[in-house]
Amino acid sequence: NISSFFCSGSRSSKTFKPKKNIPEGSHQYELLKHAEATLGSGNLRMAVMLPDGEDLNEWVAVNTVDFFNQINMLYGTITDFCTEESCPVMSAGPKYEYHWADGTNIKKPIKCSAPKYIDYLMTWVQDQLDDETLFPSKIGVPFPKNFMSVAKTILKRLFRVYAHIYHQHFDPVIQLQEEAHLNTSFKHFIFFVQEFNLIDRRELAPLQELIEKLTSKDR
């Protein structure tokens, strides 16, 4: 049941990084509640659509925070299996390897282990989400002109964590009975990025077959 997963909050999984909270009582909080309610209906295609009269930037911002929290929690359940020894490189199957660069602290891409890469990645995302000039939480504060390009970069990078979990850690996911949870979260993510054209198809290649399988039922 999708709604119980999204709203239960009582899962026994540890969060990898601190959760990013959307302030209660804010308009963004209302949007998040709206998203959770529509997810509860089970129709993910409908759930990702921009609600009538809402600002696209704000809708993308709220959902990006939500995906960060979901992936944070999903990765938190398998951190024991994702180690320097098990994953000396950040990969998504034999054909795809990721090297980390954030353009500011690390300008030249570095090869590092998956746990290190994901630590860099999630810390970087968290810093973007906490930046009030990029992700304003106060009503009436406008989003910056480059907001969409920043959001696209965040989502492109968060996708890599899903890709790594699916390719390298699917066995523990099954053992932990997290498979349905992971699939629902990923499917929601994919419908969202497809709806607003947020990730280049080439970036999605490591999970192309899975994406086709998960989305073909809901054409």
Side-chain angles (χ1 to χ4, degrees), residues 13-20 68-77 79 115-127 130:
S13 48
K14 57 182 187 287
T15 315
F16 172 56
K17 295 264 166 211
K19 197 165 180 286
K20 168 79 181 161
F68 169 76
N69 286 337
Q70 286 182 46
I71 294 165
N72 199 354
M73 193 165 81
L74 284 160
Y75 184 70
T77 63
T79 46
K116 190 97 190 110
Y117 184 101
I118 292 170
D119 191 13
Y120 279 134
L121 187 157
M122 296 301 266
T123 303
W124 177 84
V125 172
Q126 210 173 5
D127 289 345
D130 288 340

Side-chain angles (χ1 to χ4, degrees), residues 104-116:
T104 45
N105 300 326
I106 300 173
K107 292 190 167 65
K108 195 167 174 264
I110 56 167
K111 193 170 177 168
C112 54
S113 68
K116 190 97 190 110

Side-chain angles (χ1 to χ4, degrees), residues 21-84:
N21 288 319
I22 290 177
E24 275 191 54
S26 67
H27 182 63
Q28 292 184 9
Y29 189 77
E30 298 305 312
L31 274 180
L32 182 64
K33 289 288 157 241
H34 168 87
E36 285 176 351
T38 49
L39 281 167
S41 71
N43 184 336
L44 289 170
R45 280 236 186 265
M46 292 290 289
V48 297
M49 289 177 182
L50 180 67
D52 285 348
E54 292 298 343
D55 174 50
L56 179 60
N57 284 345
E58 197 153 38
W59 182 237
V60 169
V62 166
N63 281 278
T64 300
V65 170
D66 193 35
F67 289 128
F68 169 76
N69 286 337
Q70 286 182 46
I71 294 165
N72 199 354
M73 193 165 81
L74 284 160
Y75 184 70
T77 63
I78 58 110
T79 46
D80 294 348
F81 304 95
C82 186
T83 64
E84 301 281 327

Side-chain angles (χ1 to χ4, degrees), residues 1 10 16 24 34 63 66 84 91 96 111-112 135 140 153 157 170 208:
N1 179 325
S10 61
F16 172 56
E24 275 191 54
H34 168 87
N63 281 278
D66 193 35
E84 301 281 327
S91 63
Y96 300 96
K111 193 170 177 168
C112 54
F135 279 77
T153 304
R157 290 178 171 171
F170 201 58
Q208 198 48 53

